[in-house]
């Protein structure tokens, strides 16, 4: 049995997957046999989606599964939140993503015997998802109970070229004998409360990371319709009033005698093929599925939309959709791929994470990016700050048009944010901590609504996008409204003290670390609020000078007073930034260092994550972190802190960070690399890289940790390549791990594109598109342009190195028995990085 001390050691940077079951392939995730023990994990890992529509990796037969799931971004149900003790301003409306009717189901019977994968006699089995085209493929040779061999090949694709469409195929061939074959292609609306997922969650105990929602029927049938091989069902969500229509259509190719039947009821529609199958004569079924939803449009109108989508699909055909899908992914990988050394396991894992970013965001359009994308109902399908801080950087530099859509989604929520600010007695706009429809959905305000930093996170992402892309049009028409209204909120939320020097304070807030809530002068919040206030002031001044007409329209639209901008700057310049001269670190908040230190080394491995085993009040009394907080501020506002201060803060907070959040390890990897702990940085990187692939947090079954996948890209580019983009100045300070030979990636910036190749002895930047790009490498300025498209910068080393693989030993507290608690000792690192199963 592993000791409690070993349980907190970051994993070695080695491949944690069973390569007999998941063989190496740099461009695919492949499974060579199914396993009941981890159905939930593999359903998530093999999910396919496009940001709008997502389908979990459930078997086509629709039988045994951890959680059948098909999700449409933004399609949700609501219910009144009932608090045990009410108070003004508490969240009133619960929201959860709805498990939509399932079109994946294609049940197969041979000699009237069904195939059920977990118990079937399988002579061959392979399932794979290909990152190059987003297609889930499965190959099986099934030995039926009667001893007949049947080849079954299926594919599933959620289209990147047709937002509302999924395309599936099934080909069945009897290999050694004739037999009657039945294929039942279905739309199935599972309505038993909500679905088996909620019942499983209740049985497994309370876990706030999982979905919540009503325990009653959600989707009310509105219509069912069939004709030929086409069927449609329409529904209305009982409380939210949202509508959904789903339709399927088919083509059949076979030389066997075949007849078709079709039927529909309120919750199911079936297209049934009865085939007198002869040996060696395949049966090929192509199934098109279309989903359309709306907040207000009636089902009868959605029927027309589904009909048009299916009409196009039947004309276009599966081959053309496959070609378009491959072309889309070719473009994606051209801009998004990160190639590292020659380790195929590492490369496969990196590409799986980047692939999940595409699946979570590509076609979101007017919707946000849920914390689980469209792969599961974890976190109820809510949108968090995760998207702005962890996902938007990737999108900004690889798919800027998608980043723009994500930011416009926040702009479209601005009126809701204004109403929430008014309810919380502040001016401006206060964005909800977690939401789908724009209203606050977090019932626990201390770790939810109190996280006001979401306003500054949105402003940060908006500014980074505008500076990196040069999209001034977005700033002039919409972005400026977000900056002004969020700055107003900060100026009104804080207050002034004068004890010999004016100081602006922000009290009663919660930072990213949810193990310390409702505190005064949280460092992350204050640093990000200061940035938000500076940004708004600079943006208004720039509009007044460079675009006076847009400025006048904005002033009239927002009722902006001249004195407001000066107030923002004054607040920013005097904002309280906690610092302890005695210890030499930034306290996480004004009183953080006054608390007792949690002894992580003495905490049993089975007590992680702490939030599932200790009352919040217990956690709030201690110096213990769920995730990097001060350390994250050192990344996002790195130009405001010297390197030695970053190192001191990292060395203090790293040993008391549990990493119970998947958002933590990637940030710790970046700052560990920057301050010189290169081996530790690599360990943390592997912890984040395999969060879902190795199910390190035990909840991959609930859906992909999308923010962590974005963090993987950040750890590669900002951590090991040392990329920063402060105030529009692109710079690099490389930290290539000793065991890596090279790393290459691309950045799209201001309408152009550059390629970066990092080797141990040099960093090379190549202009791929555009006229020029300027950048810095360790303080020296360089430029690539059309007449000099490539610059090679020699590197004498790979950045500062701190002796030893972990921070030095320091005393950070005393146990109640008088013995000392030390930090930085090997074996006292976060629980987030414990081995799978621990």
């Amino acid at each position: 049995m592993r000791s409690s001390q070993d349980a907190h050691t970051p994993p070695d940077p080695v491949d944690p997957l069973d390569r007999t079951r998941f063989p190496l392939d740099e461009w695919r995730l492949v499974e060579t046999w199914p396993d009941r023990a981890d159905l939930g994990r593999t359903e998530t890992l093999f999910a396919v989606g496009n940001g709008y529509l997502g389908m979990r990796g459930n078997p086509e037969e629709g039988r045994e599964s951890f959680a059948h799931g098909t999700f449409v971004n933004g399609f949700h149900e609501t219910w009144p939140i009932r608090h045990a003790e009410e108070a003004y301003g508490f969240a009133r409306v619960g929201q959860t993503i709805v498990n939509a009717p399932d079109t994946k189901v294609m049940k197969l019977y041979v000699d009237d015997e069904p195939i059920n994968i977990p118990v079937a006699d399988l002579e061959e089995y392979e399932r794979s998802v290909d990152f190059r085209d987003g297609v889930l493929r499965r190959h099986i040779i099934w030995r039926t109970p009667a001893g007949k061999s049947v080849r079954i090949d299926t594919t599933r694709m959620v289209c990147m070229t047709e937002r509302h469409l999924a395309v599936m195929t099934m080909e069945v061939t009897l290999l050694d004998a004739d037999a009657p074959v039945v294929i039942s292609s279905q739309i199935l609306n599972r309505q038993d409360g909500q679905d088996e997922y909620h019942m499983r969650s209740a049985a497994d105990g309370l876990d706030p990371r999982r979905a919540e929602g009503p325990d009653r029927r959600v989707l009310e049938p509105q219509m069912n319709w069939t004709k030929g091989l086409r069927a449609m069902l329409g529904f209305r969500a009982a409380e939210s009033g949202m509508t959904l229509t789903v339709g399927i259509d088919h083509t059949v190719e076979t030389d066997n005698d075949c007849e078709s039947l079709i039927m529909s009821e309120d919750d199911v529609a079936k297209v049934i093929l009865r085939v007198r199958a002869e040996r060696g004569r395949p049966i090929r079924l192509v199934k098109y599925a279309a989903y359309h939803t709306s907040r207000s449009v009636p089902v009868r109108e959605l029927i027309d939309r589904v009909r048009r989508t299916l009409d196009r699909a039947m004309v276009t055909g599966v081959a053309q959709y496959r070609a378009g899908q491959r072309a889309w992914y070719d473009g994606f990988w051209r801009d998004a791929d990160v190639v590292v050394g020659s380790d195929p396991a590492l490369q496969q894992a990196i590409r799986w994470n980047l692939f999940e970013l595409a699946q979570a965001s590509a076609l979101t359009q007017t919707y946000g990016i849920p914390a689980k994308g469209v792969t599961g109902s974890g976190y109820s399908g809510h949108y968090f700050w995760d998207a702005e801080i962890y996902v938007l950087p990737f999108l900004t530099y690889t798919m800027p048009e998608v980043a723009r859509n994500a930011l416009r989604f926040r702009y479209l929520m601005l009126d809701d944010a204004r109403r929430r600010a008014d309810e919380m007695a502040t001016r401006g706009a206060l964005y909800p901590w977690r939401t789908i429809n724009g209203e606050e959905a977090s019932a626990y305000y201390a770790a939810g609504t109190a996280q006001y930093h979401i306003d500054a996170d949105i402003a940060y992402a908006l500014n980074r996008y505008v500076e990196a892309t040069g999209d001034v049009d977005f700033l002039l028409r919409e972005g400026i409204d977000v900056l002004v209204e969020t700055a107003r909120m900060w100026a009104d939320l804080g207050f002034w003290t004068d004890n010999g020097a004016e100081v602006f304070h922000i009290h009663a807030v919660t930072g990213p670390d949810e193990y310390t809530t409702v505190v005064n002068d949280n460092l992350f919040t204050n640093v990000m609020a200061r940035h938000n206030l500076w940004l708004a002031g600079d943006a208004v001044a720039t509009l007044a000078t460079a675009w006076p007409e847009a400025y006048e329209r904005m002033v009239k639209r927002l009722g902006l007073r001249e004195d407001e901008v000066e107030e923002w700057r004054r607040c920013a310049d005097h904002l309280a930034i906690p610092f302890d001269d005695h210890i030499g670190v930034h306290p996480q908040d004004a009183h953080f260092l006054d608390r007792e230190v949690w002894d992580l080394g003495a905490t049993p491995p089975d007590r992680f994550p702490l939030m599932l085993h200790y009352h919040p009040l217990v956690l709030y009394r201690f110096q213990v972190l769920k995730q990097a907080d001060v350390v994250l501020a050192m990344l996002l506002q790195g130009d405001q802190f010297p390197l030695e201060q970053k190192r001191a803060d990292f060395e203090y907070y790293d040993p008391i960070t549990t990493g119970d959040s998947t958002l933590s390890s990637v940030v710790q990897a970046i700052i560990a690399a920057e301050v010189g702990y290169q081996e530790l940085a690599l360990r943390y990187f592997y912890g984040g890289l395999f969060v879902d692939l190795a199910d390190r947090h035990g909840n991959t079954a609930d859906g992909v940790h999308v923010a962590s996948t974005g963090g993987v890209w950040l750890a590669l580019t900002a951590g090991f390549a040392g990329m920063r983009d402060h105030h529009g100045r692109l710079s690099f300070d490389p930290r290539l791990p000793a065991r890596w030979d090279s790393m290459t990636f691309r950045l799209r910036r201001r309408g152009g594109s550059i390629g970066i190749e990092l080797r141990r002895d040099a960093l090379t930047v190549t202009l791929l598109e555009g006229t020029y790009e300027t950048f810095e490498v360790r303080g020296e300025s360089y430029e690539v342009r059309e007449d000099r498209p490539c610059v090679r910068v020699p590197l004498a080393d790979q950045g500062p190195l701190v002796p030893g693989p972990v921070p030095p030993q320091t005393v950070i507290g005393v146990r109640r028995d008088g013995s000392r608690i030390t930090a930085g000792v090997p074996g006292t690192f976060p629980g987030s990085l414990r081995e799978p199963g621990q």
Side-chain angles (χ1 to χ4, degrees), residues 59-65 68 107-109 114-116 190:
E60 284 75 5
E61 297 76 32
R63 301 186 186 279
E64 186 172 346
S65 182
H68 296 282
K107 295 185 178 181
L108 173 66
Y109 304 83
I115 181 172
N116 186 9
R190 295 180 172 87

Side-chain angles (χ1 to χ4, degrees), residues 5 651-652 655 677 802-804 806-812 820-826 828-829:
Q5 191 176 47
E651 290 177 352
Y652 186 86
Y677 292 108
V802 176
V806 297
Q809 179 173 339
T810 57
V811 177
I812 61 171
R820 294 180 175 184
I821 301 172
T822 57
V825 178
T828 58
F829 284 90

Side-chain angles (χ1 to χ4, degrees), residues 769-784:
E769 298 176 72
T771 56
Y772 76 97
E773 181 63 77
T774 59
F775 60 96
E776 296 179 1
V777 179
R778 295 183 179 167
E780 295 292 327
S781 296
Y782 301 89
E783 181 180 78
V784 286

Side-chain angles (χ1 to χ4, degrees), residues 159 161-162 165 167 288 308-324:
C159 291
T161 57
E162 183 83 44
L165 184 69
V167 181
Y288 302 96
R308 290 193 294 268
T309 300
L310 291 176
D311 287 346
R312 284 194 303 273
M314 296 297 286
V315 172
T316 303
V318 64
Q320 191 166 333
Y321 280 122
R322 289 268 181 85

Side-chain angles (χ1 to χ4, degrees), residues 1 32 55 65 76 88 117 141 151 155 455 504 542 594 597 611 618 631 635 641 648 726 761:
M1 180 179 294
T32 58
M55 295 177 161
S65 182
H76 67 280
Y88 180 81
I117 294 299
I141 293 183
R151 175 175 176 147
T155 70
D455 269 26
F504 189 70
T542 300
D594 297 336
V597 176
M611 63 183 176
V618 176
V631 173
L635 169 62
F641 301 92
H726 295 301
D761 61 345

